[in-house]
Amino acid sequence: GAGVSQTPSNKVTEKGKYVELRCDPISGHTALYWYRQSLGQGPEFLIYFQGTGAADDSGLPNDRFFAVRPEGSVSTLKIQRTERGDSAVYLCASSLGGDRTDTQYFGPGTRLTVL
Amino acid sequence: SQKIEQNSEALNIQEGKTATLTCNYTNYSPAYLQWYRQDPGRGPVFLLLIRENEKEKRKERLKVTFDTTLKQSLFHITASQPADSATYLCALDSNSGYALNFGKGTSLLVTP
C-alpha cells in the first residue's frame, strides 16, 4: 500500500518568508509525528499528533513553528519568518497509534533551504 | 541531560564479515530501544525493537542486544553485503511519551 508522502520534496525560500510543508500519513494511522534532520545528525522530534490534537509539541523550537492536523489525517507544518538556521530535512512519520511501540513509518522528507 | 552516542566514524568492512554498531546512552531509563536504517535522500526505515527486559533479539541476519546496566545496545549484521551499506540510527523512547530520540547514526560501508 501507499506509504507516507510529503510535499514538496524540496523547498527553497528566502529569509523571512512563510512556508508550509505537507504530510500525508498512511491511511488509518492515528499517530503522526514531525521530525527535523540537519546534515550529519539524527532526526530531532518536533511534534506528535494523536488524531486531530497535538499530544506533545515539546520539540517545537519556538513560536515561529506551528503544525495542524484538522481532520486527523493530513498534517501541515508551518514556519513563519524563516531563518537560515531552519534549513534542514523535515521528516514526517505515522504509526497506528495505539501503543508507544507501534512502528513509525517515515516519509522521504522535505528538504527546506532558507537563503 | 539525556544523551545518545553512536560511533561517529564510518565503519568500513568487507563483504561476508559481521558488522557491529554501538549505541550508548546516558541519563536515560528507556523502556525500549529501536534501530533504523537510513539511505541517502530517504526517511529512516524501522528494523528492530528491543524492550528493557529483553537481552537479545534477532531478525534474519540482524541481532540486537540491550544491556541496561552498561546503558548500551549493540547492533550486529552477519554475513554483510554491499546492499547493507547505509546509515544506522539508534532511537530511544522519550520520557514524554510516543516521540523518539535518535542518535546521530553510524555510516556503514560494506565493500565487495
Side-chain angles (χ1 to χ4, degrees):
Chain A
V4 177
S5 62
Q6 293 185 246
T7 53
S9 55
N10 279 285
K11 175 72 177 177
V12 180
T13 191
E14 293 180 344
K15 180 175 178 293
K17 299 289 189 184
Y18 167 83
V19 297
E20 289 190 353
L21 312 179
R22 176 187 168 109
C23 172
D24 281 83
I26 293 172
S27 177
H29 281 192
T30 62
L32 185 145
Y33 310 78
W34 284 99
Y35 293 85
R36 175 169 72 173
Q37 188 171 25
S38 301
L39 195 62
Q41 304 293 315
E44 175 192 18
F45 168 73
L46 296 176
I47 187 169
Y48 153 61
F49 286 90
Q50 184 61 256
T52 60
D56 181 357
D57 64 357
S58 61
L60 294 177
N62 51 59
D63 61 5
R64 295 187 298 106
F65 289 74
F66 188 71
V68 296
R69 194 185 185 201
E71 297 178 359
S73 178
V74 170
S75 176
T76 305
L77 179 66
K78 309 180 182 196
I79 310 174
Q80 299 177 321
R81 304 184 303 280
T82 52
E83 300 177 358
R84 293 195 179 87
D86 298 335
S87 296
V89 174
Y90 288 80
L91 294 164
C92 175
S94 71
S95 68
L96 278 173
D99 192 275
R100 290 174 64 191
T101 60
D102 286 340
T103 299
Q104 294 188 24
Y105 296 88
F106 283 81
T110 293
R111 181 175 298 278
L112 175 66
T113 303
V114 181
L115 301 177
Chain B
S1 61
Q2 297 172 336
K3 201 171 179 182
I4 303 170
E5 292 183 344
Q6 296 188 250
N7 314 59
S8 57
E9 293 183 10
L11 180 62
N12 292 348
I13 64 166
Q14 197 173 14
E15 182 176 10
K17 303 291 186 184
T18 296
T20 298
L21 285 68
T22 305
C23 175
N24 294 296
Y25 59 92
T26 56
N27 298 323
Y28 252 118
S29 294
Y32 56 88
L33 184 148
Q34 302 186 34
W35 284 89
Y36 283 77
R37 169 185 173 140
Q38 187 171 27
D39 291 280
R42 295 180 174 263
V45 175
F46 170 78
L47 296 174
L48 279 169
L49 178 149
I50 186 165
R51 299 175 191 271
E52 61 178 337
N53 60 350
E54 298 175 315
K55 295 291 185 187
E56 181 181 297
K57 204 144 195 196
R58 293 174 184 261
K59 179 182 175 183
E60 298 173 350
R61 294 184 296 111
L62 308 180
K63 184 178 88 171
V64 172
T65 62
F66 194 10
D67 189 325
T68 56
T69 301
L70 290 178
K71 295 188 181 296
Q72 181 182 80
S73 175
L74 298 178
F75 176 78
H76 306 272
I77 305 175
T78 58
S80 59
Q81 304 166 359
D84 295 326
S85 299
T87 294
Y88 291 85
L89 298 158
C90 164
L92 280 68
D93 65 300
S94 67
N95 293 332
S96 62
Y98 287 61
L100 292 173
N101 291 322
F102 285 87
K104 290 185 178 182
T106 298
S107 175
L108 172 67
L109 179 62
V110 181
T111 52

